[in-house]
Every structure is written in structure tokens, then in C-alpha cells.
Amino acid sequence: MKTVYLDHAATTYVREEVLEAMLPYFAEKYGNPSSIHHVGRSSKAVMDDCRERVAQLLKVKPSEVIFTGGGSEADNLAIKGHAWAMKNKGNHIITSQIEHHAVLHTVQWLEKQGFTATYLPVDHYGQVSPDDLEDAITDKTILVTIMASNNECGTVEDISKLSAVCDKYGVTFHTDAVQSVGYYDLGLDNDPIDMLSFSAHKFYGPKGVGALFVRSGTRLEPLIHGGAQERSLRAGTENIAGMVGLARAMEIAYEEMPKAVPRLRGLRDRLIEGVLSDIPDTGLNGHPTERLPHNANLYFARIEGEGILLKLDMAGICASSGSACTSGSLEPSHVLAAMGIDTMLIHGSIRFSLGHRTTSEDIEYVLEQLPPIVENLREMSAL
Ligand SMILES: *Cc1c(COP(=O)(O)O)cnc(C)c1O
């Protein structure tokens, strides 16, 4: 049976070109960048090169790129690191109700350490209002963290406007851009964004490596103490192979963006339109236009998303309900709930996220498989 993988928002495979670029850095070029000798120095040169290439793509300075062990760690470093560094100035953090758990649970943990937090609501499409943000800022606010785009519903936030509000009040703005990098330009050269997290395995790089952009002058305490690596913000011998993989994957993503994004959007729109026209009582969750090009989050009334997922899996199709981190639990998605979507419809929601190998045959196959599955499940649930 063929596999149709439509869960790229959960993770992606490592692309051939990326794997090839990484391979020499395990057994042949293994030096520790901190070593004085030539084996170490050559690793140091590779690391500097990766940092420069990533910085160039983001249009920032190389010294502003801190490599981490992934997106969750980048979020933790930004939020805990800045909160600790600023705790004499204030203790209030603002975030949104639809953040990834890497942000949400980090802010909740800080609340237990004496910080206070505001969780901004979103509209029906999943967007945070810049006016709500402005109203929530107090003289105790030290950090605002709002994601660039949502991993479940696919909605893209207006981080240009949101960061401008923070700038007006001199408040640090962090964004979790794990889902955004590789799909659109993040505007770090134009917008007052102070910190931005991303992760290689969401754009065809390896798992366990990510980065945090930290604008010069933004104060941070490290989470991992030890050596002076990553400007003393993350101790530990560097993951050179991971950095090479991240940099290469990011370059490819940026190179291919002008072609890949319209292609994905076309396939995604065909999927959405096919489902909405062929299957009654279905709908799209999230923003109709301000959304990631590869994300289709759809609801199927009167059935459980988990049931559809199991049947799709039997047909070789991999999709997801909610985020990879919450699927398996019966808690309705906090993202769709915050958008005011009916609990019954949340339970019947499925996320399809397309990728670089997805073809129109794949989409037609899904559109062929889905209607009988939905019909069958609806008959069963009516019994
Ligand atoms: C995947 C994801 C993360 C976590 O990144 P990891 O590299 O898996 O730790 C954080 N935020 C968002 C929005 C994500 O999609």
C-alpha cells in the first residue's frame, strides 16, 4: 500500500540533499569547535558558516542566531530566559490562548514562579487583535510572546502589527515561528521583532536542532549553564551536523519558496474545495486566506476525528487531529476551542498538512477515500 503523508506540520523527513550535507559531520569531520587544533578549528569554521547563512536568510546578524536543541528549547530559552533577566523590571507576560504547548506550558510554569500572565483571546479565525494586545500591556509587562502562525488551524498572525504595538511601549516581542519558517518571509529586517524561534524538522531538516533569533540588546539568562558556547546562552558541545542540516534545509526552503508555496496552495485549495463540495456538513477551520499554504484543517460534523484518522490510516493516509502533542488525549483542541468552535465540531476536526513530495494524485486519492469513510462513520454513529 502506498503512503500518503499529510502530516508535515508534525514533522518532515530529512531531504536527500540535507542528509548528504550532514553525513561528513558524524565520522569524518567530528572536531569540537572549542579545540585549538586544526580538527577543532575546521568545525568552528563550519559552525560560523552555518550561522552566517542562517542569519543572511533571516536578514539579521550572525551574532543574533543562537542554535538550540529544537523549537521547544528555543521557546523556553526566549521566554524563561527573558523573564529571569527582566524580573527586576516587571513580572507580567502576555501570550495568546492558541500557542503551542512549548509556549503555553512555559508561561504557566513561570506563573508558579511568581510571574503573572495574560492569555489573549482570538477571533473565530484564530487571529489575535493588536488592540487587545495594546489594552493588555501594563507598566509591569516585560514580554509578549505570540506565535507567527498556528500549527493546528494554520492561521497566520499579523506579527508586524503585534510587534509594532510592543515597540510603542518598549516591551520585548517574541514569536514562535516554528510553522512559518520556509513558507514566507518573516520581516526581521523591517519589524521590531526581538526574538523568533524555529526548528529544522519542520522544514526537511533533522529533529533536535533549532534556533532562536535574539536581537542585539535583548537580555537573556541561559537555561543550560556550563561552557561559553552560543554566547554563553547554551552550554554544551555544539551539534555541528545538526547546524549543517538546519542551514542547508533552510537554504533549500528559501530557494524553493517562490515555486513551492503556490504549488502547495493549489493542492491545498483543491483538497479543501473537494471536501467541501463532495462531503456534506463539512467546513474549514481557521482563516480562509491568511493561512499557511500547506495547511487544511477541516471539520466533519457528527463524527469523531479519531475514527476518520484510523480509517484513513488503513488506506495509507497520514493526517492528524489537533497537534501531535495532544492527539492521543481526549481533550478537545485548546486552539479550536479558543476560536469558539463548537465542541462537537472540534472532535470531528482533522488537520491535513501537505509537503514537498505531495502530488495532485495524492490529493485525488484522499478525495476518493474520504467520502465513503465519512458516510460509513456517520451511519455507525447514527445507530
Ligand atoms: C513543532 C512545534 C514546536 C516544537 O518544536 P520542536 O522542534 O518539536 O521542539 C513549537 N511550536 C510550534 C508552533 C510547533 O509547530
Side-chain angles (χ1 to χ4, degrees), residues 70-72 75 100 147 151 176 178-179 199 201-202:
S72 300
D75 286 339
H100 188 276
M147 68 200 322
N151 49 302
D176 174 338
V178 174
Q179 290 288 331
S199 179
H201 79 101
K202 300 292 173 77

Side-chain angles (χ1 to χ4, degrees), residues 69-119:
S72 300
E73 189 190 312
D75 286 339
N76 272 260
L77 176 58
I79 298 166
K80 290 179 192 162
H82 194 63
W84 285 119
M86 301 295 283
K87 68 179 189 304
N88 293 328
K89 184 167 178 270
N91 68 344
H92 180 229
I93 299 165
I94 300 174
T95 186
S96 83
Q97 293 174 4
I98 63 163
E99 298 298 312
H100 188 276
H101 284 152
V103 168
L104 225 39
H105 290 168
T106 302
V107 174
Q108 285 164 3
W109 181 82
L110 282 170
E111 282 188 282
K112 291 193 213 144
Q113 316 305 317
F115 291 87
T116 61
T118 301
Y119 299 86

Side-chain angles (χ1 to χ4, degrees), residues 180-185 252-262:
S180 304
V181 166
Y183 293 100
Y184 59 94
D185 184 67
I252 295 172
Y254 275 72
E255 255 163 50
E256 294 187 352
M257 214 187 286
K259 273 194 177 157
V261 165

